[in-house]
Amino acid sequence: MGILAGKKGLILGIANDKSIAWGVTQACKREGAELGFNYLGDMLEKRVRPLAESVDATLIESLDVSDDAQLDEFFGKVAQQWGKLDFMVHSIAFANKDALRNRFSTTSREDFRLALDISAYSFVACAQRAAPLMNAGGSMVTMTYLGAERTVPGYNVMGVAKAALEASTRYLAQDLGPDGIRVNAISAGPIRTLAASAVGDFRKLMEKSARGSMLKRNVTQDEVGNTAAYLLSDMASGVTGEVHYVDAGFHIGVGDPGIE
Ligand code: NAD
């Protein structure tokens, strides 16, 4: 029996088989969970549906997290079709490419709003609709990055959004803790995905991270997935409000003389 046997969980944020959410999916499926998914628009449905069907998904619905009406409809369907929810994974972020290429000091109000709305507020928006469907033992996990707490060239407004996401994780954990619901974030090292391609000089970032990490390599989506499965399971019943690093020890080793 897997550590997620008998649990029903949502995994939000698959774009393709390179997505971190797909690594999470495979770990959760292996550990026995019944899974549900969203996709963003018709273009991505073609990619997401076959992936979701390959892990016997019992719920596959459209959801743009920037739209309250769609959020209400999506979680309404979860309530109707599943009745209860044991866990939710939020693996969603977006910023305008230009805002990541240009100088941070030139960030426009609209680019700031968009990045914060989709990459940080959407976790709160999903959590407030997921929590009423959860019993004690419920668990939520979101995906963050070291750029929240340290400056990383090219990460810019997304770093500000991740800082808000990490703070939101702590406040959600405080708020939902008395209901027995846990909320955690995983800070993953760089992984080549669709979203990552928007980050300026991502190749260089990956090289630096591998060189500066204790394991002298980058992490995989499967390694992030395994950590997520643990945090979503009852094995982590005493763990909440934390940022968990899956970055091969990079954040500890920053300052290593090998890193310019
Ligand atoms: P990805 O492109 O595969 O996933 C990002 C997802 O966000 C996509 O599925 C996209 O459809 C979804 N999304 C964007 N706007 C949306 C909206 N309005 N409504 C619904 N969904 C929306 O890339 P990924 O790297 O797997 O990103 C997943 C998460 O992991 C993000 O939060 C990202 O910041 C974080 N992360 C990524 C890395 C990395 O190096 N790839 C490192 C640390 C953290």
Side-chain angles (χ1 to χ4, degrees), residues 12-16 18-21 38-40 44 63-66 90-94 118-119 142-146 155 158 162 165 186-196 202:
L12 309 177
I14 290 187
N16 54 41
K18 304 285 182 295
S19 294
I20 289 176
N38 82 308
Y39 54 86
L40 176 63
L44 284 184
L63 172 63
D64 179 336
V65 295
S66 66
H90 172 276
S91 188
I92 289 173
F94 184 80
I118 296 181
S119 315
T142 188
M143 297 297 161
T144 185
Y145 177 61
L146 187 61
Y155 207 59
M158 189 54 83
K162 291 300 192 193
L165 180 68
I186 293 176
S187 185
I191 297 174
R192 210 173 290 285
T193 62
L194 201 61
F202 190 72

Side-chain angles (χ1 to χ4, degrees), residues 61-143:
E61 299 289 343
S62 174
L63 172 63
D64 179 336
V65 295
S66 66
D67 182 339
D68 281 339
Q70 288 193 35
L71 281 160
D72 289 341
E73 198 180 324
F74 180 84
F75 281 93
K77 284 179 183 160
V78 177
Q80 208 176 37
Q81 291 180 40
W82 279 1
K84 68 146 193 174
L85 186 61
D86 296 298
F87 65 81
M88 179 180 77
V89 177
H90 172 276
S91 188
I92 289 173
F94 184 80
N96 264 336
K97 240 183 189 166
D98 286 349
L100 303 182
R101 299 264 185 259
N102 297 335
R103 294 180 66 175
F104 175 70
S105 58
T106 66
T107 308
S108 70
R109 187 184 300 276
E110 177 52 20
D111 283 350
F112 192 98
R113 188 203 62 73
L114 188 66
L116 272 280
D117 183 20
I118 296 181
S119 315
Y121 178 71
S122 72
F123 185 42
V124 180
C126 290
Q128 69 190 216
R129 291 167 173 86
L133 303 175
M134 289 184 173
N135 295 317
S139 178
M140 303 181 189
V141 168
T142 188
M143 297 297 161

